[in-house]
Amino acid sequence: MNRIAGKPRDDSLIEVQCGGEDNNGCQLESFAEEVPGNGHNGSESSSSCVDLAVSLHSSRSSVSVCVECERECSQHHNESIHQLSSVSGIWRKRALFLKYRSRVDKQQQSKDSVFFRDGVRRIDFVLSYYMDEKDKDADKKQERRKVYEAKLQECGLELETEDKSESEDGRTCYVKIHAPWEVLATYAEILKIKVPFKVNDIPDHRDMPLSWLCTPFRLPTHVMHPEPDFFTSPFDKSKVDFFLIDNKDTFFPPSTRNRIVYYILSRCAYQNTASQQNDKKGIKRLLNNGTYTAAFPLHDCRYWTQSRDPNCENERYSLYRYWAQFFRFYKEQPLDRIRNYYGEKIGIYFAWLGFYTEMLFYAALVGLFCFIYAVTTYDQSVWSKEICSENIGGQIVMCPLCDKKCGYWKLNSTCNSTWQSHLFDNVGTVFFAVFMAIWVTLFLELWKRRQARLEYEWDLVDFEEEQQQLQLRPEYEIKCQKRRLNRITQEMELVLDRSTADWVGKLCICWSTVVLWIALIIASIIGVIAYRLAVYAAFASAMRDSPTNKIQLVGSVITPQLATSVTASCINFVIIMILNFFYERVAIWITDLEIPKTHLEYENRLTVKMFLFQFVNYYSSCFYVAFFKGKFVGYPGDYAYMFNNKWSGLRNEECDPGGCLIELTTQLVIVMTGKQAWGNIQEALVPWMKNWWVSRSARNHPESLYSRWEQDHDLQNFSQLGLFYEYLEMVIQFGFITLFVASFPLAPLLALLNNILEVRVDAWKLTTQFRRPIAAKAHSIGAWEEILHMIAVFSVVTNAFIVAFTSDMIPRLVYLYAYHPGNEPTMQGYINNSLSIFNISQIPMDNQPEAGENPGWFNSSDITTCRYRDYRYPPGHEKEYSHTMQFWHIIAAKLAFIIIMEHVAFLVKFFVAWLIPDVPSDVKARVRRERYLIQEYLQKYELEKLKVQLSVNNGACTCDAPHPTACTPVDPRL
């Protein structure tokens, strides 16, 4: 019996049995019982056989079908059509789908496969397009595809097309691309791809003491290191036998194969030679103009189960099992597998993210200890007790915090916020700020060592100098009209012919756009500040009789200051998200205008523009609260107003008697946690919802009929800037936990919890929700490393200023050692000392509260003075309302603290950076060993090759004795 099957083994859905001694005709076995009214009689078998014959004739592959089967099919053609038309509803759709999927090929090949129909040639890339007859440009697109695919074949690529009749939606065609050995070998040499030539013989002595403690966090060895370590050398097509090639079909991993194919796709023209324009090339332009709808490499299997194909590596399944599930959050990452499957660029990102998360553990631990210290010393805060005391804080009448709508108030009304401020404004704050300066340095220096090790293990040591010029952007190449001699390589290279006026014009357009958007951010921040000033008066008036006390749990905590701060922070967060949405597109547009030469240069330019904008966008509100709020308010007789315009009615904000640090903490928590929560929703929920919607119709069909290319086509596209946004998110977070960490020691803990989730969310979405990214090389995290160094240096300055000017640490220390009453240092009397006195009768009418705004206990005849936060002489003094000497002592102490803290922190940073070498000693030894072996083995290889050539030449010499000079042996020295 001869059997032709569309799907092998147990999951074969349709089988045709033709001929044989026991069967004179054809029998079609299918899932006919799934369609109501269908049985296993001859007519039904013939009906399905007709479908099979039609599918066979529409297929591009030539398939032999028995003559008896075709004859029987033709006899029952009309009857079969009548039976098929009687099927309705979902069963009709299912029958039609089975019809087109029942194509019988000459090979035994599963639909869920990464190979051509012959089961031998691997699918390295897939192009898809729609066949829409209503499209007015359909003919143009078809012509472009025809020319483009013909040129791909001229480049040596092999193509195989899946007709739209065989797709799930009935209108999508797929072009499968395979790169044969000759193409791979040629471009591997051009791209200088390193391949193994000898097993690494250097023993690994990296055993850590007490390594058994890390056993629960380890993955199995075969998962962490799926392949042995090799010495590698750039591939040379002329020296194939020099490298360790066991099987040419599997020598280049799939990530390398799809990288090579994409390199070809990006540079292949889609116009005939006669009418070809220089810019009419590249798959990116074809995707932009709708000629193709998608271009992507294939995942090797479904992520939740292994493939039945014995030739499938099942790397995607392994990654999902050991890496992309949340309950694996405590396990290390299989970085070698990530690199092999997704490429070095994505591997470097996850290596950096994992290392950053590990280092956050130590920062979070110290920050938690500082917070616990603040909680345990809660009752030792003398100044907080004085504020909350009825005899001290209850007797101090404070001046109104706004004009007309704010009345006089007692100091003990801020008791709760004062206690909260103590949690983050204490001696531990200074210690933690210094610790974080050291932690940042350790993180960056240790990452350099980790990165150097990865560069060696992943064959990226010489990548930057040799490879970057080979990564010219196609968009740059098509704009180049001239060539010039490279002084280093002495080779002609493409150069962009751009006039000075054009260059200056585009530069001005690009950076003026950036400045314009930064100005827009500043304008929005000013708007939020105006909101804070205007709304505070409304909250103060509404909360005059403390109606919020009726709210359970949090009612007593809500104050006008807190309500204003929280609502303003939320509004600011919404503005940040909106501006981000629009600026991302503007930044990409202006970077495209610059036409950067290489992919690295493109990403670096975009990185600078995006981070500069994001820095201002995310941190400006925190800078306002930390360094501007409460610093320029004046005093009751001479208040400062927004824009120096008294008629605006927007009086500058004051800080609580407990300080502005608690408001900075509130701002930081809302923006930081809000961004992280929104980012996780965007990264996980949105792709999942899109994929669920796209694949809703395919879920009605069996898995085995849902081809590998269709499954991946229905996934989301992972753009070339996908990693850019991941880095940007983490670097912005890094800024939050370093620039303002003195105000919130728990920030590293929140970042740690987020990153534990972030690693698995990124792994899950990349493995399950996105098409397989095109592999790309990268030897480092690029421009982000310099940005991290810049943030690290800047964080020392910001934290020093936060401790000095935002917290009350320095004024307390000055009082403790210079202005305390009695002989023994004490903090008693600090609150009374830190508040100045003002005569109520001298307050201008424009600043006086309106009738009914003052509380019931206020009696103007008994209360003649009010207090405000400043160090000024009291009324009646010869220097009335001017700054006291204590004020200048505090300023001097603040400046001295900033200078001392910065110098100590920078000294420690530079010492640690000098102490820790960037490249581990064992890595240096391995690099030197590999370079030595490359020279030695190449020399031996050339000598052996020369000996073989000489022996062949000598053996081929058949000269007669009378003519001894007819064959002259080659001089070995040549």
Side-chain angles (χ1 to χ4, degrees), residues 295-307:
F296 54 92
L298 291 180
H299 285 293
D300 59 359
C301 65
R302 296 191 291 267
Y303 66 86
W304 65 89
T305 184
Q306 294 187 9
S307 173

Side-chain angles (χ1 to χ4, degrees), residues 97 158 252 259 268 312 637 647 690 733 954 958 962:
F97 184 66
E158 299 176 2
F252 293 108
R259 178 184 165 215
C268 193
C312 180
W647 301 106
K690 289 181 178 179
Q733 182 202 82
N954 291 333
T958 56

Side-chain angles (χ1 to χ4, degrees), residues 32 75 226 281 369 401 745 947 951:
Q75 291 174 354
K281 61 172 63 175
F369 285 152
L401 294 175
K947 289 179 181 179
S951 64

Side-chain angles (χ1 to χ4, degrees), residues 416 548-558:
N416 288 329
T548 56
N549 288 336
K550 300 177 183 179
I551 304 176
Q552 295 182 357
L553 299 179
V554 297
S556 60
V557 180
I558 299 177

Side-chain angles (χ1 to χ4, degrees), residues 39-256:
H40 290 282
N41 52 41
S43 62
E44 288 158 355
S45 296
S46 300
S47 173
S48 297
C49 193
V50 170
D51 299 338
L52 175 62
V54 173
S55 178
L56 281 168
H57 287 296
S58 65
S59 175
R60 292 188 57 178
S61 60
S62 57
V63 182
S64 298
V65 183
C66 58
V67 177
E68 294 88 86
C69 181
E70 291 187 350
R71 184 182 301 116
E72 185 175 351
C73 290
S74 61
Q75 291 174 354
H76 297 280
H77 181 267
N78 294 331
E79 182 181 357
S80 64
I81 293 177
H82 175 73
Q83 291 181 353
L84 186 61
S85 62
S86 64
V87 182
S88 61
I90 189 173
W91 297 109
R92 175 174 175 80
K93 295 180 181 179
R94 191 178 184 86
L96 288 171
F97 184 66
L98 289 173
K99 164 189 172 181
Y100 292 121
R101 282 305 171 87
S102 63
R103 174 177 47 79
V104 179
D105 296 331
K106 59 185 176 183
Q107 76 284 348
Q108 306 257 324
Q109 179 65 22
S110 169
K111 280 290 182 183
D112 188 25
S113 172
V114 293
F115 293 93
F116 274 20
R117 296 177 192 139
D118 56 15
V120 176
R121 293 174 294 172
R122 186 183 187 92
I123 302 174
D124 297 315
F125 226 87
V126 174
L127 307 178
S128 67
Y129 58 90
Y130 293 141
M131 294 294 292
D132 190 356
E133 297 179 355
K134 298 180 180 179
D135 187 357
K136 61 181 181 180
D137 296 328
D139 294 336
K140 293 182 179 179
K141 293 178 180 178
Q142 181 63 29
E143 180 62 26
R144 292 191 200 120
R145 286 191 292 265
K146 181 180 178 181
V147 174
Y148 186 68
E149 292 171 15
K151 290 187 177 295
L152 290 179
Q153 290 176 321
E154 291 176 6
C155 293
L157 297 179
E158 299 176 2
L159 311 181
E160 186 176 77
T161 302
E162 292 289 333
D163 190 71
K164 66 177 182 178
S165 61
E166 298 182 12
S167 64
E168 187 273 334
D169 59 4
R171 68 189 188 102
T172 305
C173 299
Y174 297 92
V175 180
K176 298 176 287 185
I177 302 175
H178 168 76
W181 168 258
E182 286 298 322
V183 174
L184 294 173
T186 300
Y187 282 92
E189 183 175 2
I190 293 174
L191 297 176
K192 300 185 185 300
I193 294 174
K194 290 187 175 182
V195 293
F197 69 90
K198 185 183 185 299
V199 177
N200 194 333
D201 58 358
I202 301 179
D204 191 355
H205 298 296
R206 283 191 294 161
D207 294 336
M208 299 292 294
L210 302 177
S211 59
W212 57 272
L213 293 175
C214 300
T215 302
F217 309 104
R218 302 292 185 192
L219 287 173
T221 303
H222 74 277
V223 177
M224 286 298 298
H225 306 288
E227 297 177 354
D229 192 14
F230 294 99
F231 290 121
T232 60
S233 175
F235 185 79
D236 189 341
K237 189 178 179 182
S238 63
K239 300 180 177 64
V240 173
D241 50 345
F242 172 73
F243 303 101
L244 300 178
I245 303 178
D246 294 330
N247 186 344
K248 290 184 177 181
D249 293 335
T250 59
F251 180 67
F252 293 108
S255 59
T256 301

